[in-house]
Amino acid sequence: MSESNANSEATQPETPPLEVSAETKALVETKMPEESDEIKHHTMALIEAIKKQAQSSLESAGEIGRENYVNTMRQTQTTLKNTGLLFDEQWESLEKTIAGLEDTATKNWEFLLNDMKKWGDRLDRAVNEAWKILTEPEESEKDSPSDSDSESKS
């Protein structure tokens, strides 16, 4: 390769053929009617490159946004699951506490009924003894003969 070829290659880098949209062509022709074809060509290339970069950025942002959304949903799901587990644990604890209270109340009720039965039995014995005392003849009547018996003997 000669020096002149090397210099010309350095000053005019080859660019791949660029597809320019009709929109971009119309925009450049409308806004830059007096410019040379070379400037118009470079402007169109610049606009297309900016459009591609913007599109790529939007796609990346969309992907990042989707990934963020998915991650957020997963975190929310995990949080809800953990909250649910916490509520399940609290519910189980509450059920155990209620079962313990029911057992204690049942035992206390049984003790109360047992004490009332004992008290009722004691009260029944006391009433029976009091009735016996009230209905049994007096001592003097048991030991002494009745007046009618003494009169019949005389």
Side-chain angles (χ1 to χ4, degrees), residues 41-111:
H41 176 73
H42 286 295
T43 304
M44 286 187 249
L46 181 61
I47 291 172
E48 288 299 321
I50 291 170
K51 284 169 83 175
K52 284 183 182 179
Q53 181 64 36
Q55 183 67 29
S56 176
S57 294
L58 285 174
E59 288 173 2
S60 295
E63 185 63 26
I64 290 171
R66 189 187 69 75
E67 287 177 14
N68 285 338
Y69 176 77
V70 169
N71 288 336
T72 300
M73 288 295 104
R74 286 182 183 151
Q75 288 173 351
T76 302
Q77 185 179 19
T78 302
T79 301
L80 289 174
K81 182 180 176 185
N82 290 340
T83 302
L85 291 176
L86 177 65
F87 287 143
D88 289 344
E89 289 173 5
Q90 288 176 338
W91 184 256
E92 288 174 17
S93 175
L94 182 63
E95 284 178 336
K96 286 178 184 177
T97 301
I98 290 172
L101 288 172
E102 287 174 346
D103 289 345
T104 302
T106 301
K107 287 177 185 175
N108 287 344
W109 180 251
E110 289 172 359
F111 285 136

Side-chain angles (χ1 to χ4, degrees), residues 89-152:
E89 289 173 5
Q90 288 176 338
W91 184 256
E92 288 174 17
S93 175
L94 182 63
E95 284 178 336
K96 286 178 184 177
T97 301
I98 290 172
L101 288 172
E102 287 174 346
D103 289 345
T104 302
T106 301
K107 287 177 185 175
N108 287 344
W109 180 251
E110 289 172 359
F111 285 136
L112 178 67
L113 288 178
N114 192 23
D115 286 348
M116 288 179 71
K117 184 179 181 310
K118 287 179 184 177
W119 187 77
D121 290 346
R122 290 178 69 190
L123 185 61
D124 186 51
R125 286 195 311 265
V127 167
N128 284 336
E129 289 300 315
W131 184 251
K132 282 182 190 175
I133 291 172
L134 288 173
T135 59
E136 86 180 5
E138 289 187 28
E139 293 289 325
S140 60
E141 290 180 8
K142 283 188 199 176
D143 294 339
S144 64
S146 65
D147 290 336
S148 61
D149 286 339
S150 55
E151 288 178 10
S152 58

